[in-house]
Amino acid sequence: MASIHKLLTGTCLHRNFLKPRAALHPFVGIHSADCSSSNPQKQVAPADRGSQQRKTEEGMQKHHHQEAAVDVTSPDKKPELSFDKAIRDEAMEHFRRLKDEIVAHMIGPEGRPLQEVLMEQARVVWQFRKKEDLDKWIVTSDKTIGGRSEIFLKLSKNNQSALLYGTLSSEAPQDGESSQSGYCAMISRIPRGAFERKLSYDWSQFNTLYLRVRGDGRPWMVNIKQDTEFIQRKSQMYSYFMFTRGGPYWQEVKIPFSKFFYSNHGRIRDDQRPLIVDKISSIGFTLADKVDGPFFLEIDFIGVFTDPAHTEEFAYEKSALISRLIK
């Protein structure tokens, strides 16, 4: 009987030490929850109770530290890296993308029915609603040649447009070679398919470039590059002007593809040729009006559409003699 009485008393004390007394009886008091009150012959001294509680808490903390030590990874152990696994995963990802391209091509562009695509009159190619939309573009300036112009691209406050802003400086770099400077540009990245293949945009069923912008009154050069050669020359492009009105109101800019003129290294070529709109690789915007100071251009979307009233095929004279001389 004595051993049973000691076992019951020890169990009650251990249970009381593990639970906070103030949480059990916040109004009655700490000593009112003592199980030893039912056994007046076996009273525990307050000092002994405090020392035993401290030992119990130290034991719990030691046990907690042991569990934490088990979960912590040793700094000497490094995660296993498998070069073969990385190559295999990369190849599987490219094959998955290739399969998606084939399926999309059989069903229709972007998974839509082919007849629906052929009947559409307008298409939004780029819009700016999230950070991933900005990642499709590159901004550059004359800083690449030592100039002082700066350009930045970010989303607007309401995440409904892109804000292109910066400072234009026509001060030539002090390198002893360059005599002109002062340009900022925004260029779309060339789309890539499986195995990093270059893709292109097919706008053959449209005849007009369509933009919704809001600027500060500066003129911008709109540049389109076509991918029709095995080795695409970076200096060759088609260009036309976009004049912003300034002010708080949006404006819709419509530029027919027939108005774009052929240029090389920023100079208009004598041998003009129409833009081939079924092999478009990228589009860009360049500011180089030689007016120093801040600028901004806000873009809602960039797309293409069909204008039934526009029947012009090419706005510039094509000379067969000039073409033969140049070739």
Side-chain angles (χ1 to χ4, degrees):
M1 293 297 294
S3 60
I4 294 175
H5 177 73
K6 289 181 180 181
L7 179 62
L8 293 176
T9 305
T11 304
C12 185
L13 289 173
H14 181 66
R15 185 178 302 167
N16 280 318
F17 290 148
L18 293 180
K19 295 183 180 180
R21 302 173 184 274
L24 290 173
H25 303 283
F27 301 105
V28 178
I30 297 177
H31 300 287
S32 61
D34 193 357
C35 289
S36 60
S37 58
S38 60
N39 301 292
Q41 292 105 357
K42 302 287 184 177
Q43 293 290 337
V44 179
D48 296 338
R49 183 187 305 162
S51 61
Q52 188 173 359
Q53 183 176 0
R54 283 194 299 272
K55 291 180 181 178
T56 305
E57 291 177 354
E58 290 176 358
M60 292 177 62
Q61 291 179 1
K62 183 177 179 181
H63 179 68
H64 175 71
H65 289 318
Q66 289 177 353
E67 291 182 351
V70 172
D71 297 334
V72 175
T73 304
S74 174
D76 298 334
K77 295 182 179 179
K78 297 182 180 180
E80 295 182 1
L81 299 177
S82 176
F83 182 76
D84 295 337
K85 183 178 182 302
I87 295 296
R88 185 169 58 254
D89 293 344
E90 183 71 14
M92 292 299 295
E93 173 65 20
H94 283 288
F95 277 115
R96 184 191 63 79
R97 292 167 59 182
L98 181 60
K99 183 194 71 172
D100 294 341
E101 291 178 17
I102 295 174
V103 172
H105 181 73
M106 295 176 62
I107 298 175
E110 300 178 357
R112 296 180 298 164
L114 185 59
Q115 61 271 18
E116 177 185 334
V117 176
L118 294 176
M119 293 298 293
E120 67 179 349
Q121 298 296 313
R123 180 188 302 173
V124 176
V125 184
W126 293 279
Q127 62 180 356
F128 304 93
R129 302 295 183 266
K130 51 188 177 180
K131 184 180 179 301
E132 288 75 11
D133 298 332
L134 300 182
D135 296 336
K136 300 177 182 179
W137 294 83
I138 303 172
V139 291
T140 182
S141 68
D142 54 30
K143 272 193 171 183
T144 57
I145 60 172
R148 297 189 176 183
S149 300
E150 294 182 329
I151 184 170
F152 307 95
L153 179 65
K154 69 175 184 179
L155 288 174
S156 60
K157 293 183 179 179
N158 56 359
N159 291 340
Q160 295 297 315
S161 60
L163 183 60
L164 187 67
Y165 66 100
T167 305
L168 189 69
S169 174
S170 58
E171 182 180 352
Q174 305 298 323
D175 56 0
E177 298 179 0
S178 304
S179 59
Q180 295 181 352
S181 183
Y183 72 88
C184 293
M186 169 183 173
I187 308 169
S188 65
R189 296 181 184 271
I190 298 176
R192 300 281 180 173
F195 301 101
E196 297 301 319
R197 295 169 16 257
K198 285 185 179 181
L199 303 180
S200 59
Y201 300 99
D202 185 1
W203 299 341
S204 56
Q205 65 186 90
F206 307 100
N207 61 8
T208 305
L209 185 68
Y210 185 22
L211 308 95
R212 187 170 186 262
V213 300
R214 180 165 55 183
D216 55 0
R218 286 178 178 254
W220 289 77
M221 183 77 76
V222 182
N223 306 309
I224 296 179
K225 289 186 178 182
Q226 61 180 11
D227 188 9
T228 56
E229 300 179 2
F230 182 74
I231 301 177
Q232 180 67 29
R233 299 180 182 179
K234 296 182 179 179
S235 57
Q236 295 181 353
M237 64 184 65
Y238 286 81
S239 306
Y240 199 72
F241 303 99
M242 179 179 67
F243 299 94
T244 59
R245 291 196 296 258
Y249 301 106
W250 290 92
Q251 69 178 103
E252 294 183 354
V253 180
K254 300 176 182 179
I255 307 175
F257 292 135
S258 62
K259 300 293 185 183
F260 283 84
F261 53 84
Y262 183 50
S263 64
N264 189 6
H265 289 287
R267 297 182 179 181
I268 301 176
R269 296 286 300 269
D270 294 331
D271 178 26
Q272 288 295 315
R273 62 190 73 171
L275 174 65
I276 302 176
V277 293
D278 62 344
K279 292 290 184 180
I280 303 299
S281 60
S282 66
I283 186 173
F285 304 90
T286 302
L287 178 65
D289 59 357
K290 298 182 181 180
V291 178
D292 295 354
F295 66 87
F296 81 90
L297 178 67
E298 193 172 359
I299 307 174
D300 183 6
F301 66 84
I302 304 169
V304 289
F305 87 108
T306 301
D307 185 2
H310 184 77
T311 58
E312 183 181 56
E313 295 183 1
F314 192 54
Y316 310 101
E317 182 180 359
K318 294 182 292 183
S319 174
L321 177 61
I322 294 177
S323 300
R324 287 196 300 269
L325 293 175
I326 292 177
K327 291 180 180 179

